[in-house]
Amino acid sequence: MHLSILTASQIVFNGTVQSVGLPGTVAPFQILAGHGPMVSSLMRGNITYAKEGNLYSFSIQHGFVSIARDQVKVVCAPVESTH
């Protein structure tokens, strides 16, 4: 499935993944290939995704996700660095 993670200033990730974990506002959830269409708000937490056997993570403040036909699109605000 295809994952796009976008912020106001950059494309964080755009590519093929095996799974995506998201911090939903009601509860965390995972997306796998063939997932039904949905839209959800996201709260502070980590977006995780598996690509070629490796697990990656990106911290967010909040955002939204849209899922349709194996296309996962996340628009979010990243957690700002404290340094």
Side-chain angles (χ1 to χ4, degrees):
M1 82 186 136
H2 189 87
L3 170 65
S4 299
I5 303 174
L6 311 167
T7 70
S9 62
Q10 68 177 327
I11 298 171
V12 175
F13 180 80
N14 191 35
T16 302
V17 298
Q18 285 75 47
S19 66
V20 181
L22 298 161
T25 52
V26 174
F29 61 97
Q30 184 175 27
I31 307 298
L32 300 171
H35 195 287
M38 69 179 271
V39 174
S40 178
S41 57
L42 304 174
M43 62 183 223
R44 187 179 188 97
N46 293 318
I47 297 171
T48 57
Y49 54 96
K51 179 181 173 165
E52 298 173 356
N54 296 308
L55 190 62
Y56 300 90
S57 181
F58 180 70
S59 297
I60 65 168
Q61 293 182 42
H62 54 82
F64 291 90
V65 61
S66 169
I67 304 152
R69 296 180 296 281
D70 283 339
Q71 301 287 316
V72 180
K73 297 177 184 171
V74 177
V75 177
C76 60
V79 171
E80 299 297 325
S81 174
T82 57
H83 324 185

